[in-house]
Amino acid sequence: MDDHSPDAHAIECRNLWKIFGQRHLEVLAAARAGRVDKDAILEEFGCVIGVADATFSVAKGEIFCIMGLSGSGKSTILRHVNRLIEPTAGSVLVNGQDVMSLSKGELRALRAHKIGMVFQHMALWPHKTIADNVAFGLEVQRTDRKACRDSAEEALEKVGLDGWGDRYPDELSGGMQQRVGLARALAADPDILLMDEPFSALDPLIRRELQDEFLALSEKAHKTTLFVTHDLDEAMRVGQRIAIMKDGRIDQVGTPETIVLYPETEYVARFVSSISTLKYLSASEIAVAGEVASDAPTIGPDTPLPVLIEQLANGVDHLAVRDGADLIGRIDRPEILAAVGRDLARR
Amino acid sequence: MDLAILLDPFATISMPLSDWANDSMRWLTSNYRGIFQAIKAPVKWLLDLVEDGLRGAPQTVLLALAAAIVWQVVNRTTAILTLFAFAAIGIIGAWDAAMTSLAVLTTAVSISALVGLPLGILCSRVNWVWAIVRPVLDFMQTIPSFTYLVPVILLFGIGNVPGIIVTAFFATPPLVRLTNLGLREVRADLVEAANAFGASPLKRLWSIELPLARPTIMAGVNQTVMLSLAMSVIASMISVAGLGRLVLVGISQLDLARASVGGLGIVLLAVVFDRVTQGLGFTRRDRGNRGLWEQGPVGWLRTQVSNRQPLTNE
C-alpha cells in the first residue's frame, strides 16, 4: 500500500514531531532517546507532546482517516498540512513540496488554491451571508465578484443548498451549516480537503446523511482527503485507509479490513473489538486446508462471507477456494460457524 | 532626635515631587514649546473648517442636513428625534453655543478615533505594546480630569484648540481599551478559518476581525463621545467656548437660567450623539440585509431612479 512512487503522494508526513511548550527542544531530545511517559515530561519540562514521530503518506485521490480519542494529536497533525501549526521536527510535503520551505505568500497561495478545510464547529463567519462565506476563499484570491458569486452558487448547489446564499449562518440548522462549511472548502476547487471532525457536532442521523453525501461527492470529485475523527464507525465508513493514534503516536496504519482483522497493538485490538469482523472476512481467511471434490464450486480468495453463506445454503456440499489455479483450501459449514464463533469470542 | 524621625518620619524626610514637576514642565516648555505649538496647527485647521461650516450655514439648512444624515446612517425615528432636539436647542437660545460645542466635539472625537483605533488595533496584535499601553491607560483614566488642565495650559495655552486636545486626551483611553478587547475576543476558530483559506493578515483584519469586533469597538466610540461631552464643562475652564461655558458662567455667577440652558443643551446633544453612534454600529444584518446606501434618503432616491427605468426604456 505504501510503495507508490513519491509523486503519487498528495500529502506526506516524515517523522513529524510537535511539542507544545517553552522547552520543546529538550523534550524532543528526551523523547527521541526513548522517554515516553507524558506525565513525567509534563512534570519535568512543562511541555506536552502533541505529535510524536508520525510518518505516513496519503495517495492522490485517497480518503485517509486519522482516528484517535481527544487529545491524541489527530487535529494537530491535520493542522501541520496547511501549516496552521509549525512542526518541532520532521517535515510535511504537499504535492511533493515541503510546506516549511514556502514563503508567506506561497503559503497563502497554497491555502487558497490547493487546500480546503472543514472545521468541527463549522467556523462560519456569522456576519457574512452564506454566499459570502463560501466565496471568501475566492475573494482572497482576488477573483472578480461575478466569478466569486458563480463559483459560490455552484458549490452550494453541490451540497444541495442552492438558493440559500442570502441567508445568514445562524438561520440554518447544524447539518445545513456544515454543508456550507463543505461548500466553502470546495468553492476554490482545491486538490486536498482537510476535514477536522466535520460531523462530530451533529445528530447521529444527520451525521450519517452527511457522511453519505460526502462519500457521493468524493466519488465524483476525487479529492485527496485527510479526515480526522474520534468515531471508529465513521472512520470505517469513510476511510480507504485509517491511521489509529494514541498519545501523539500512530499505532497502526491500514485499510479498515486490516485494522479489524489484524490489529498490531493491544490498543488497536481493544479499539476495534466492538466492530464485527464478519463484514470484513473473506474466503481466504475462512478456508481450511483439505481435499476438495472435483465438482465443488470454485470461488476466489476475496469472496465475502455473505456470498459463501448463500452458496452453501443452496445445498452445495463444500466450496473450493482457488487463487487462479492454486488451491488455497476448502470451506464447509463448520468453517463458517468457526468464523462466527471466533468473532463472538473476541468481543 | 533619632526617635523623632522614627515616629514622625515625614516631618524630616520628603521627596520634592512638586519641584520635580515644576522643573520638568519648565524644561519641556523651554525646549519643546515649538513641537506643542506645531501640534495645535492641524487641530486648529480642522476645528476652523467644522466651526465655520456649522456657524456659517443657515439654521434651516443645518437642521435638514442633520436629519438627513441621521436618517441615512441610523433610521427615520432617530432622524425625527434629532430634528426635535436641534429645534429645542435653537428655541432655548443655545444655538450658537451648541454649534461651537458641536464643532469642538466633532474635532475632538475625530482626533480620538484617529489615534485610538489604530492604537487599539496595534495593542491587540502586539503583546508587548499592550503591556506598555495598558498601565498608561490605567493612569490616564484614574487621574481626575481637572488635573489634565494645568499641563495643557502650560504647553498649549488656553482656548478652543487646547480644549480639544485635553478633551481628546481624556476621551481616547476607552476606545483603545475596547478596540483591543473586541479584537482579542474574536472567536479563535473564526480567525483560524480565515487563515486556513489563505487570507493575508490585513484581509483577515478588515473582513473578519474588525466586523466581528464591531459592537465592542462601537461601544468604545460611544464612550469616547460621551466622555467628550462630559469634558465640555471642565474644558470651559481653560476658556473653551460653547455650552460648557454657559454652565460655568452659571456656576460662578449663580445664574440658574444660563446654567439650565447650557445643561439642557449638553443633554440634548448627548442624546443625539448616543443614538447616532449606536446606529453606526448597526451591521448590514441589523438593517435587514440592506447596505448603508440602500436605506434612508439615498436608498429612496435609488428606488425612485430604478422604478423609472422601465418607463424610459419603453
Side-chain angles (χ1 to χ4, degrees), chain B residues 61-82:
Chain B
V61 174
L62 274 183
L63 274 175
L65 202 64
I69 291 171
V70 174
W71 185 15
Q72 187 63 51
V73 300
V74 194
N75 55 33
R76 209 177 318 179
T77 326
T78 315
I80 293 168
L81 177 86
T82 307

Side-chain angles (χ1 to χ4, degrees), chain A residues 170-234:
Chain A
D170 64 1
E171 295 174 289
L172 273 59
S173 69
M176 288 164 94
Q177 285 185 31
Q178 198 52 301
R179 283 191 193 157
V180 176
L182 191 56
R184 179 172 66 177
L186 292 170
D189 197 24
D191 308 337
I192 293 172
L193 280 182
L194 299 180
M195 305 187 69
D196 184 19
E197 302 206 34
F199 307 138
S200 64
L202 305 173
D203 298 334
L205 273 178
I206 308 281
R207 189 184 310 159
R208 238 189 137 83
E209 200 182 303
L210 275 174
Q211 285 166 2
D212 289 336
E213 267 176 47
F214 166 69
L215 285 173
L217 263 176
S218 187
E219 200 117 296
K220 269 183 266 163
H222 237 52
K223 301 210 180 293
T224 309
T225 307
L226 196 57
F227 192 110
V228 161
T229 177
H230 64 252
D231 177 353
L232 185 62
D233 289 325
E234 183 167 82

Side-chain angles (χ1 to χ4, degrees), chain A residues 79 111 125 127 139-140 170, chain B residues 190 192 198 203 207 285:
Chain A
R79 278 165 174 68
R111 289 169 175 175
W125 299 296
H127 64 291
E139 206 185 306
V140 164
D170 64 1
Chain B
L190 298 181
E192 188 185 45
K203 168 80 182 164
S207 42
R285 181 84 183 271

